[in-house]
Amino acid sequence: MKIAIAKEIEVGERRVALIPDTVARLVKQGLEIWVEAGAGEAAFFTNEAYEAAGAKIIGDTNTLWSEADVVLKVGVPKEHETYQLREGSSLISFLNPLGKPEIVQHLANRKVTAFSLELIPRSSRAQSMDALSSQAGVAGYKAVLIAAAALPKFFPMLTTAAGTIKPAKVFVMGAGVAGLQAIATARRLGAVVEAFDIRPAVKEEVQSLGAKFVEVKLDEDTVATGGYAKEISEASKQRTQEILTEHVKNADVVITTAQVPGKKAPVLVTEEMVQQMKPGTVIVDLAAEQGGNCACTEPGKDVVRNGVTIVGPLNLPSSMPVHASQMYAKNISTLLQYLIKDGELQLNFEDDIIDSTCVTYGGEIRNQRVKDALTVEGVKVG
Ligand code: NAD
């Protein structure tokens, strides 16, 4: 079976789906691995390193896409890439199926069996395949470094001959995978950290990382099935905002990571809250791609409002392509190996990992939420 690693073509994407170490492991298991020439270059993995790991370097993009049995990618394929896939072949990648359902429709039209890494169940059995988590961890770490670099202050407390420096106060909003990594990183740099999440269950995790959990008691359930956050009522939003305003006002750094899958990110830091922050403070908004948790965020830009710097980074995992690719490669290769039995893909849809991740099969979209997203957008393809 030919497994192909496509070169990412999205501007600014530096990650690659498999690194040479994982290639070597898969080759040992009898798989034939094709790597598009230069696919690992931006992540510092050379063609020679892939070749040494047993892969074949393919110069012609069309040959790679059209002759592979399974194509592995990081970013959502472009429409023209879906046309290159052979009928009956498979694709494993991030597909953003709720945000870009039209691409899923194109894959179904091509009769491609597509697996979306966003749809891996958040279960302990599937943890080693959970690319959303591994990449969110990278983003959470990097967000703190960006904040520390932009802050005109130290993070740690310092006792020096030139006086004592107070530690920076960091407030993390949204304590999922990225938020928890941000808390841990800010603590390692010596900041005093507070955190808030709509799901009260994260309180213990926040505390175990040495941060204080900001409690907001609401009269409604905030957790949906699968452990994700739910959208909350207007009254609950108002109550939450009053409490959060105080904590935002006192912070040197605010890192926001709050997301609700398939929805626009909730606004947690309003313009009025930004106006109450001290000049020189910094907000890093990890939800910038989904519209932002801060009302002043401009995706992909740094903006300054009343001396407050608001950073809206896009695709942070790509800014650390070596380890982001290493972790992604572990996730995607674990899923690939899970799908292969006796040298070919065998799909048992009774298995929850396969059932939820496989988004197109036999010319059909298998996921109702993706079909609904297509209808909402009024997208007609093919
Ligand atoms: P996410 O990226 O969807 O959201 C980030 C965080 O924002 C979440 O913690 C969410 O509760 C929070 N949030 C949403 N709306 C908010 C609001 N209005 N105010 C404050 N916070 C808000 O989440 P994620 O990091 O992908 O994790 C989602 C869930 O999946 C968590 O319960 C996590 O523990 C769980 N998870 C489980 C596994 C596993 O069991 N293998 C792996 C990863 C994540």
Side-chain angles (χ1 to χ4, degrees):
M1 191 162 48
K2 288 191 204 86
I3 312 291
I5 303 161
K7 185 174 159 83
E8 300 298 318
I9 56 171
E10 183 67 52
V11 177
E13 180 57 76
R14 296 174 60 193
R15 291 170 292 176
V16 59
L18 289 186
I19 66 166
D21 277 358
T22 36
V23 167
R25 241 171 279 142
L26 294 173
V27 168
K28 238 187 227 163
Q29 286 162 22
L31 296 175
E32 185 178 345
I33 309 282
W34 285 11
V35 176
E36 188 170 353
E41 219 166 69
F44 307 101
F45 300 112
T46 60
N47 290 342
E48 292 71 29
Y50 284 107
E51 265 175 329
K56 184 170 163 191
I57 303 296
I58 307 291
D60 181 56
T61 309
N62 193 46
T63 304
L64 178 118
W65 280 82
S66 60
E67 291 186 21
D69 296 303
V70 183
V71 173
L72 306 182
K73 254 185 77 46
V74 179
V76 182
K78 303 281 181 203
E79 185 180 328
H80 77 266
E81 288 179 313
T82 67
Y83 300 146
Q84 290 175 297
L85 284 161
R86 185 168 48 76
E87 192 174 307
S89 67
S90 299
L91 171 74
I92 312 179
S93 183
F94 278 135
L95 294 175
N96 189 8
L98 298 179
K100 295 201 166 156
E102 69 281 6
I103 293 294
V104 177
Q105 179 70 73
H106 283 302
L107 291 166
N109 293 349
R110 294 293 300 160
K111 297 201 170 56
V112 167
T113 305
F115 298 86
S116 165
L117 286 171
E118 290 92 339
L119 300 175
I120 291 275
R122 310 311 282 271
S123 61
S124 43
R125 211 161 68 86
Q127 227 165 357
S128 54
M129 308 172 195
D130 185 352
L132 271 188
S133 284
S134 69
Q135 306 303 297
V138 178
Y141 168 83
K142 193 65 185 273
V144 173
L145 300 193
I146 290 172
L151 188 72
K153 288 183 164 188
F154 281 110
F155 257 45
M157 185 179 104
L158 296 177
T159 311
T160 78
T164 301
I165 306 283
K166 283 194 196 158
K169 287 185 191 157
V170 175
F171 185 28
V172 177
M173 302 170 89
V177 181
L180 291 172
Q181 187 57 253
I183 294 170
T185 307
R187 289 285 301 140
R188 285 185 202 115
L189 282 178
V192 171
V193 184
E194 292 186 324
F196 166 72
D197 197 287
I198 199 85
R199 296 177 299 118
V202 296
K203 179 178 173 178
E204 272 176 32
E205 282 174 275
V206 166
Q207 289 174 336
S208 73
L209 292 171
K212 186 180 156 223
F213 187 69
V214 173
E215 301 220 37
V216 179
K217 297 225 174 337
L218 298 178
D219 304 327
E220 67 179 289
D221 201 2
T222 54
V223 184
T225 43
Y228 285 107
K230 247 181 26 188
E231 252 194 327
I232 54 172
S233 68
E234 274 313 308
S236 292
K237 277 185 194 160
Q238 177 106 31
R239 165 108 192 92
T240 308
Q241 215 144 62
E242 283 163 16
I243 296 173
L244 298 184
T245 299
E246 280 310 301
H247 292 270
V248 167
K249 216 163 70 178
N250 291 326
D252 295 301
V253 167
V254 175
I255 293 179
T256 64
T257 76
Q259 310 220 18
V260 179
K263 299 247 170 13
K264 197 176 167 298
V267 173
L268 301 179
V269 183
T270 61
E271 291 212 38
E272 299 79 65
M273 285 158 92
V274 172
Q275 268 159 23
Q276 293 181 50
M277 290 176 74
K278 290 167 285 190
T281 53
V282 179
I283 300 173
V284 179
D285 189 347
L286 283 193
E289 246 150 300
Q290 277 70 44
N293 291 140
C294 174
C296 304
T297 298
E298 290 184 33
K301 292 194 179 150
D302 296 3
V303 292
V304 180
R305 289 284 171 87
N306 294 329
V308 179
T309 303
I310 302 132
V311 186
L314 299 176
N315 196 2
L316 274 188
S318 168
S319 71
M320 291 190 29
V322 173
H323 280 152
S325 302
Q326 179 183 324
M327 294 162 100
Y328 188 86
K330 168 73 186 173
N331 300 142
I332 201 167
S333 62
T334 307
L335 174 61
L336 177 70
Q337 286 165 290
Y338 191 76
L339 297 173
I340 295 176
K341 303 263 169 332
D342 303 326
E344 54 186 80
L345 286 200
Q346 293 201 5
L347 306 186
N348 167 15
F349 292 120
E350 306 276 296
D351 180 303
D352 73 316
I353 297 176
I354 298 173
D355 182 43
S356 57
T357 312
C358 180
V359 69
T360 61
Y361 182 72
E364 299 290 333
I365 297 180
R366 298 185 64 254
N367 182 302
Q368 190 55 46
R369 288 177 70 205
V370 178
K371 285 187 197 164
D372 293 346
L374 266 178
T375 324
V376 168
E377 292 198 359
V379 182
K380 276 221 170 85
V381 191

